[in-house]
Amino acid sequence: MTSIRYYSVLIFAIAISACGTSAIDQCNEAQTRSCTVIEGSCGAYYDAVDNLARSKTDCGAQADAYESCAVEQDACGIDAACGSQENRLTSCVGPYCLSNSSDPDCVYIRDHT
């Protein structure tokens, strides 16, 4: 059974997905510093997350709140600083992937965390 826990990882990606190149730089930094579980291409991961949060679910407000917090943090400090926003966004987006486990964006996120 797929756990909602792995979908909380997508929150990091949502938080910085709207920031363009800096989002990819921040992800790459987190990968270099071994403080993220995102594997592979940060750009492709963010594309999948953005599709989920903004096109396939009605989680824009939660994503915006998390983005506002996360973009102000160090790449490795987001979890500690933005936990409540992360929980609200995970609660919004996670159920979609649990109910649509074959959705290509959900599959990509699951396979790259």
Side-chain angles (χ1 to χ4, degrees):
M1 174 182 250
T2 303
S3 168
I4 198 167
R5 181 168 171 75
Y6 88 84
Y7 292 109
S8 67
V9 173
L10 70 85
I11 304 311
F12 173 77
I14 291 170
I16 59 179
S17 66
C19 300
T21 303
S22 65
I24 294 169
D25 291 342
Q26 191 172 11
C27 174
N28 289 333
E29 178 184 347
Q31 287 177 333
T32 298
R33 293 170 57 192
S34 299
C35 61
T36 183
V37 296
I38 298 171
E39 300 173 350
S41 168
C42 292
Y45 191 91
Y46 295 142
D47 286 345
V49 170
D50 199 52
N51 281 337
L52 288 171
R54 307 213 184 263
S55 298
K56 297 180 180 179
T57 65
D58 188 22
C59 299
Q62 293 86 342
D64 291 343
Y66 192 76
E67 286 170 10
S68 294
C69 179
V71 297
E72 299 297 323
Q73 309 305 318
D74 174 77
C76 293
I78 293 172
D79 286 344
C82 305
S84 63
Q85 295 92 334
E86 176 181 358
N87 290 337
R88 285 191 293 275
L89 186 53
T90 300
S91 294
C92 185
V93 175
Y96 174 86
C97 284
L98 290 175
S99 296
N100 299 280
S101 61
S102 63
D103 178 283
D105 294 318
C106 297
V107 170
Y108 191 88
I109 291 168
R110 184 182 62 235
D111 291 350
H112 290 87
T113 54

